[in-house]
Amino acid sequence: GPARSPLAPVSLRCRDAAPGTGNGAWSWETPWTPPSLPRNIPSSDFSWIPQGRPDLGDPPCRPFASYGSALHIALPQAPRAGQLLTLLIDYEAGEGPGVCWLSPEQTAGKQKPYMYTQGQAVLNRSFFPCFDTPSVKFTYSATVKVPEGFTAVMSATTWEKQKDNTFVFKMSQPIPSYLIALVVGDIVSADVGPRSRVWAEPCLIEAAKKEYDGVIEEFLVVGEKLFGPYVWGRYDILFMPPSFPFGGMENPCLTFVTPCLLAGDRSLVDVIIHEISHSWFGNLVTNATWGEFWLNEGFTMYAQRRISTEVYGLPYTCLEAATGRALLRQHMDATGEEHPLNKLRVVIEPGVNPDDTYNETPYEKGYCFVSYLAHLVGNQSKFDAFLQAYVNRFKFQSITADDTLGFFLEYFPELKEKGVDSIPGFEFDRWLNTPGWPPYLPDLSPGQQLMRPADELAELWAADGLNMEAIEAVDITGWRTYQLVYFLDQVLQKSPLPEGNVKRLSKMYPKISKAQNAELRLRWCQIVLKNNLEAEYSKVKDFLHSQGKQKYTLPLYRAMWGGSEATRALAMETFSATAPQLHVNVQNYVKKILGLVGAEA
Ligand code: BES
Ligand code: ZN
């Protein structure tokens, strides 16, 4: 059966949180089970605090990567089986990668400081002592006192403001440690649906409401129709400061998103659909280890595209999936297909930070594998029913791919009988354990009507002597953002273009070269760098100054560092100006790219 929490439920209580550093006490009420670890969980994933306190017991603390130590607690006497234990830990959380303290200048409003936490994958061990593994689930409650003029929000099912700026939170469903999240800042909210509101700094709230007013509920309703009840109560969205390192983070009840999503035209709403999809895949059914992260992200990509298909139709969804496939292609080209991280099941040695294994494979190869399972079933509504049964079977649990695939074969006995798990070239074992390009790709041809014009236009721009007549005959004014993104990915793939072409392209399409949309800006900057378009290097700098999302930041630094002397200088200059506002993890990854000391070991 699935890995079960050895120590659930756990209730956490925090007192006396103060700005600058937090301090408080957590209490565990733990029905004691003899100490056995869930399968495959390195013991180093348990019980970490930010700074080791060697007085806490024997054996002494062990180091984890660049931060954190194990907290060992010797019990005064051996507990009886089934005995209830309450453990009170006094601690302070200050410096540590999980808790980010922003100065007023690092916020959108530039008036007040801001703090946020980011738990995934294993950063919450620097926020509070916990069993910092996705295989353990527990409920929590928290009391957070903040200074006058600040609001606290958490990933919790209930939320109550008491006197003295004190907020009380309760998460009544069991969740893994990485989904506990807290923000304290000058934030306000506005309703955008019957169970949804947006949170943002006051200067952004208008734009935030406008972006998603009236659209969230439909995604939730379609999600429930496809995958079963939405168990988390509310679905709220919090727009983070620009340095937030992710597009979105699926903290239950309260998704955190980058302010880059405020495109003004809802064009980046796929990120919201993605995070909503985690409400079933990831947050209800959770990967038991970070080595099987594809169970979270691959199933979520599939669910996201199912919802998108229902709401926006197949052509658009295939177009979006094609841009995902292009990212997988770029990743595998950069690392080599045979790289050990290009497997769905990754071996993460104890002491290795799972975040260091992050890449496109669990997302897009995972999506292909789930699509392959659907292809084996051969009927969309039967496969949808399977997904719903899967969620229902494993909800509130943490599982491995063996559980998933075992349940698949059990649910479709006729497929099991046919031996679909061992079709040569498509063995389930090969999907999981062999690196490389996915052996099966879902058919994206329904997106051709949107992709073909973009393919053809990219072809024209890559030619030696530009056929301006043909180019001018193509009207891109009505193209959607993802059509432009797809076009730019094609141009990037063909780059460097013949001398002068990109300069002309830039003049011809200010809609692209002067875009404010972050996905377009990223691609444009990549094209500028790959084509050494020095006149527009300042756009790269401006974009990197404006936000700190990891998936935008790292590719641009890689491109700059792999380019000319001029782009290397640009990288150094930009990094020294922006480093303080980047998330510490992103800072370290950039340092690694630039060969600077202090890079993560
Ligand atoms: N859970 C991830 C973000 C994450 C992954 C944080 C690993 C920390 C470690 C989130 O759901 C995600 O995948 N976000 C994507 C959205 C995209 C795939 C639509 C992002 O941030 O780009
Ligand atoms: Zn995700």
Side-chain angles (χ1 to χ4, degrees):
R4 229 174 329 226
S5 317
L7 296 159
V10 176
S11 84
L12 304 174
R13 202 171 65 230
C14 176
R15 291 197 246 105
D16 307 329
T21 56
N23 71 73
W26 300 100
S27 97
W28 273 258
E29 286 170 31
T30 304
W32 177 261
T33 319
S36 69
L37 300 180
R39 312 171 262 157
N40 304 332
I41 315 298
S43 61
S44 56
D45 267 6
F46 283 82
S47 312
W48 297 94
I49 57 170
Q51 254 73 54
R53 298 261 300 269
D55 55 311
L56 276 171
D58 187 43
C61 303
R62 283 167 290 153
F64 168 79
S66 60
Y67 68 94
S69 320
L71 173 61
H72 296 261
I73 295 166
L75 298 172
Q77 64 201 57
R80 282 170 285 111
Q83 183 181 349
L84 198 71
L85 287 180
T86 299
L87 189 60
L88 219 71
I89 303 173
D90 268 301
Y91 72 95
E92 282 188 9
E95 296 311 308
V99 187
C100 305
W101 304 96
L102 306 188
S103 66
E105 300 73 49
Q106 293 170 288
T107 65
K110 314 226 179 290
Q111 302 296 312
K112 292 186 186 177
Y114 194 101
M115 78 80 74
Y116 75 90
T117 69
Q118 162 60 39
Q120 197 177 10
V122 292
L123 304 184
N124 265 349
R125 61 189 62 179
S126 70
F127 176 22
F128 56 91
C130 55
F131 303 97
D132 200 8
T133 161
S135 70
V136 173
K137 293 192 177 185
F138 50 90
T139 60
Y140 78 88
S141 59
T143 303
V144 183
K145 189 171 187 304
V146 303
E148 187 66 38
F150 288 82
T151 298
V153 289
M154 289 191 82
S155 54
T157 35
T158 63
W159 180 90
E160 196 190 314
K161 184 170 180 185
Q162 298 181 338
K163 59 177 179 358
D164 290 341
N165 293 309
T166 300
F167 297 82
V168 177
F169 303 95
K170 247 192 186 73
M171 167 46 83
S172 53
Q173 315 278 27
I175 58 169
S177 59
Y178 76 91
L179 291 176
I180 295 185
L182 167 69
V183 159
V184 178
D186 177 16
I187 52 172
V188 292
S189 70
D191 284 338
V192 293
R195 47 183 154 169
S196 301
R197 59 172 70 99
V198 287
W199 286 95
E201 290 181 56
C203 64
L204 292 180
I205 194 69
E206 199 77 25
K209 181 172 168 80
K210 205 175 126 254
E211 194 78 25
Y212 294 131
D213 204 9
V215 298
I216 303 302
E217 184 62 17
E218 186 182 4
F219 304 144
L220 293 169
V221 168
V222 173
E224 293 197 279
K225 187 190 87 185
L226 292 172
F227 314 123
Y230 180 80
V231 305
W232 307 101
R234 300 194 57 84
Y235 179 81
D236 297 335
I237 299 169
L238 171 58
F239 287 87
M240 299 292 283
S243 62
F244 186 61
F246 301 102
M249 176 64 218
E250 66 272 25
N251 299 127
C253 312
L254 182 65
T255 286
F256 289 12
V257 297
T258 168
C260 295
L261 297 194
L262 297 172
D265 57 6
R266 299 182 174 173
S267 55
L268 304 181
V269 79
D270 60 298
V271 175
I272 302 294
I273 303 176
H274 177 95
E275 306 314 333
I276 286 177
S277 300
H278 276 304
S279 305
W280 295 271
F281 305 95
N283 295 4
L284 257 189
V285 181
T286 308
N287 50 215
T289 80
W290 293 120
E292 300 206 271
F293 183 51
W294 79 274
L295 286 175
N296 277 15
E297 296 300 342
F299 274 84
T300 292
M301 289 311 302
Y302 189 86
Q304 170 194 332
R305 289 169 182 157
R306 281 295 297 121
I307 295 177
S308 170
T309 301
E310 297 292 304
V311 177
Y312 298 115
L314 200 49
Y316 178 74
T317 303
C318 286
L319 170 71
E320 184 278 316
T323 66
R325 189 177 293 177
L327 291 178
L328 183 66
R329 188 67 267 169
Q330 285 169 21
H331 160 71
M332 289 213 180
D333 286 345
T335 58
E337 288 194 1
E338 299 309 311
H339 194 282
L341 290 181
N342 295 343
K343 306 188 266 196
L344 290 182
R345 186 187 275 146
V346 173
V347 181
I348 302 178
E349 300 292 346
V352 171
N353 187 341
D355 285 334
D356 294 348
T357 69
Y358 182 89
N359 70 79
E360 288 298 327
T361 300
Y363 289 82
E364 295 295 345
K365 188 174 179 177
Y367 168 69
C368 290
F369 189 25
V370 181
S371 303
Y372 175 66
L373 297 177
H375 164 77
L376 288 175
V377 174
N379 175 308
Q380 188 65 59
S381 41
K382 272 195 198 160
F383 190 71
D384 289 346
F386 158 75
L387 288 177
Q388 193 163 143
Y390 168 73
V391 170
N392 192 47
R393 169 69 180 82
F394 295 114
K395 63 187 174 200
F396 302 119
Q397 298 183 29
S398 301
I399 65 170
T400 66
D402 291 337
D403 298 315
T404 303
L405 297 171
F407 183 71
F408 177 78
L409 294 172
E410 198 179 293
Y411 189 86
F412 294 110
E414 64 287 1
L415 293 181
K416 182 176 183 170
E417 216 147 287
K418 274 208 274 180
V420 294
D421 55 339
S422 48
I423 299 172
F426 303 91
E427 299 89 346
F428 288 1
D429 180 70
R430 173 186 167 147
W431 275 104
L432 295 179
N433 299 313
T434 306
W437 192 245
Y440 169 88
L441 297 168
D443 175 24
L444 302 181
S445 63
Q448 272 307 325
Q449 61 196 88
L450 296 166
M451 293 185 277
R452 194 174 309 112
D455 277 321
E456 287 167 1
L457 188 61
E459 208 56 71
L460 288 171
W461 279 106
D464 254 323
L466 288 178
N467 179 350
M468 288 315 288
E469 208 178 324
I471 286 174
E472 273 160 22
V474 184
D475 181 13
I476 67 159
T477 49
W479 285 16
R480 314 187 50 170
T481 298
Y482 271 95
Q483 245 181 320
L484 297 171
V485 163
Y486 180 84
F487 165 66
L488 292 179
D489 277 342
Q490 300 309 307
V491 170
L492 181 63
Q493 210 171 36
K494 298 174 197 298
S495 290
L497 302 188
E499 187 64 36
N501 286 16
V502 173
K503 199 168 158 203
R504 247 170 126 183
L505 196 155
S506 171
K507 265 228 182 77
M508 176 115 182
Y509 307 131
K511 178 183 171 156
I512 289 174
S513 56
K514 293 197 161 68
Q516 285 307 302
N517 185 295
E519 291 291 325
L520 294 176
R521 285 175 87 179
L522 168 68
R523 267 79 176 187
W524 184 248
C525 290
Q526 288 175 304
I527 290 170
V528 162
L529 291 170
K530 194 121 180 238
N531 289 278
N532 293 312
L533 192 61
E534 251 170 85
E536 300 199 23
Y537 282 174
S538 63
K539 285 187 180 156
V540 181
K541 189 168 124 187
D542 292 347
F543 185 47
L544 290 171
H545 273 263
S546 75
Q547 55 74 44
K549 180 174 157 178
Q550 181 169 320
K551 280 198 207 172
Y552 295 157
T553 304
L554 302 189
L556 290 177
Y557 278 102
R558 276 192 210 107
M560 285 188 278
W561 201 244
S564 63
E565 202 141 310
T567 60
R568 283 186 167 216
L570 181 68
M572 282 301 183
E573 180 202 324
T574 308
F575 183 60
S576 58
T578 58
Q581 64 201 39
L582 291 174
H583 188 280
V584 53
N585 278 8
V586 181
Q587 261 180 53
N588 281 325
Y589 291 129
V590 175
K591 282 184 190 165
K592 218 168 173 176
I593 292 168
L594 303 184
L596 298 171
V597 284
E600 186 101 6

